[in-house]
Structures are given as C-alpha cells and as structure tokens.
Amino acid sequence: FFPQQIHSSHIATIIRGDEDLQGCDGLFSRDPSFLLGIQTADCAPVIFQGKECFGVAHCGWRGLVGGILENIQDLFKKENDPIQKIWIGPFFPVFEIQRDFCFEEISQKFGEQFFFLSRKGKKERLTFSFLEAIKSILPQAEYCGENTFTQKKWASWRREGNAERNRTIIGNW
C-alpha cells in the first residue's frame, strides 16, 4: 500500500486493505499480510515496529509540525502495543530556510532551538536541524545516517528538482 501523500500529518489505518489512502502521509496496521510503503525525496521515512503493529510515516517539515510522529505513536498506544523499534531512513537532515511561513510554523512548535546561523562568504544563512527536531520527538529512533542531498544514490528534490522518489516499505512477518 502506498498513500497519496500531501505533506500532511494524517495516518491511515489499514484493516481490510480497501481503505482510502488519499491525503495521508503515513500508514499503520497490525495485519502481517500487508506491506506498507511511502515515497520520499528529502523528507524522512520513519518506520515504527511494535510486537504486533507496524507503521511508516513520510515526515517532512509540515508533517513534523502537524504532529505526524505523535499521531502514529498514539495509534500504537491505542492498540496497547508498545513501539519496540523506530528507524529513520535517508533524508536531508539539515537545510537552509528563510524567515518565512516555514520558519514561523517550525518556531511555533519548537521555538528556535533547532535553528542556527552560519555564513557562506558574506551572506548569513539560517539553517534548520531537521534531524535534531525529529530526535526531540523520537529520542529512541535509530537513524541510518544517509543524506539524500549529498549522496547521489538517493533521490533528492532539493538537489535535482525532479520527480524521482525513494521508496520505504515495511511488513510484519
């Protein structure tokens, strides 16, 4: 199953296999016969594994601010299945942003703790540590250490501006 992702914080629970997957950026199930997937370019693919339940989230900055990681954790709590493992796949962990709506929305959730200023020549740049923001919500998560922007083996919208995507799939066998 692959959802029709829109950079939201909505998680679809897959029970029968015929659920509407439009407008969601995460999938959750307890049925071991299902494979759940998402597509990313620079956003973080995050896999969650419990004893019986499993899920995957496409986490961009909008989903992060909207609570996608908290939403999927809430589904595990609702099912009374503690999360045993969280894995973060390849994504763009630190990136430059402008002081615009993106900065404002991130600041409303996290304050300014994950922003830092750097210089490139005479120009001052505002940078966001996306990885540290994710880790503040998922401190137990294991990050694979792969960077979609700097490592050309991964699709990166920010690097190439094309429609190529990385696929992350989880099952519960």
Side-chain angles (χ1 to χ4, degrees), residues 7-155:
H7 290 94
S8 72
S9 58
H10 178 66
I11 310 289
T13 299
I14 310 299
I15 298 169
R16 298 176 313 276
D18 61 354
E19 288 78 9
D20 181 6
L21 301 182
Q22 292 185 17
C24 66
D25 283 81
L27 301 173
F28 175 85
S29 188
R30 68 169 40 248
D31 189 325
S33 68
F34 294 148
L35 294 176
L36 311 178
I38 47 109
Q39 298 183 81
T40 58
D42 291 311
C43 296
V46 186
I47 290 175
F48 297 81
Q49 183 71 51
K51 188 172 182 175
E52 295 183 24
C53 299
F54 58 105
V56 62
H58 161 255
C59 182
W61 73 264
R62 285 181 181 90
L64 180 69
V65 167
I68 193 165
L69 300 176
E70 294 91 340
N71 292 349
I72 201 163
Q73 290 179 96
D74 288 345
L75 291 170
F76 278 89
K77 288 177 189 167
K78 182 179 172 187
E79 292 293 321
N80 199 26
D81 188 14
I83 298 169
Q84 297 178 333
K85 184 169 179 99
I86 301 172
W87 183 81
I88 305 168
F91 76 109
F92 193 12
V94 177
F95 53 87
E96 184 178 351
I97 67 167
Q98 303 301 313
R99 288 190 182 269
D100 57 11
F101 69 95
C102 174
F103 173 81
E104 292 300 323
E105 289 189 31
I106 294 169
S107 295
Q108 285 179 15
K109 179 159 183 153
F110 296 106
E112 294 191 18
Q113 64 183 323
F114 302 117
F115 295 103
F116 58 93
L117 292 173
S118 61
R119 289 210 176 271
K120 187 173 186 178
K122 293 181 179 181
K123 185 178 180 191
E124 191 171 77
R125 300 171 14 172
L126 180 63
T127 306
F128 173 57
S129 180
F130 190 25
L131 174 60
E132 293 304 316
I134 291 171
K135 287 172 124 183
S136 74
I137 296 169
L138 304 174
Q140 73 278 35
E142 186 178 320
Y143 169 46
C144 75
E146 298 279 314
N147 183 323
T148 55
F149 186 77
T150 61
Q151 295 174 287
K152 293 193 182 218
K153 66 182 175 179
W154 302 109

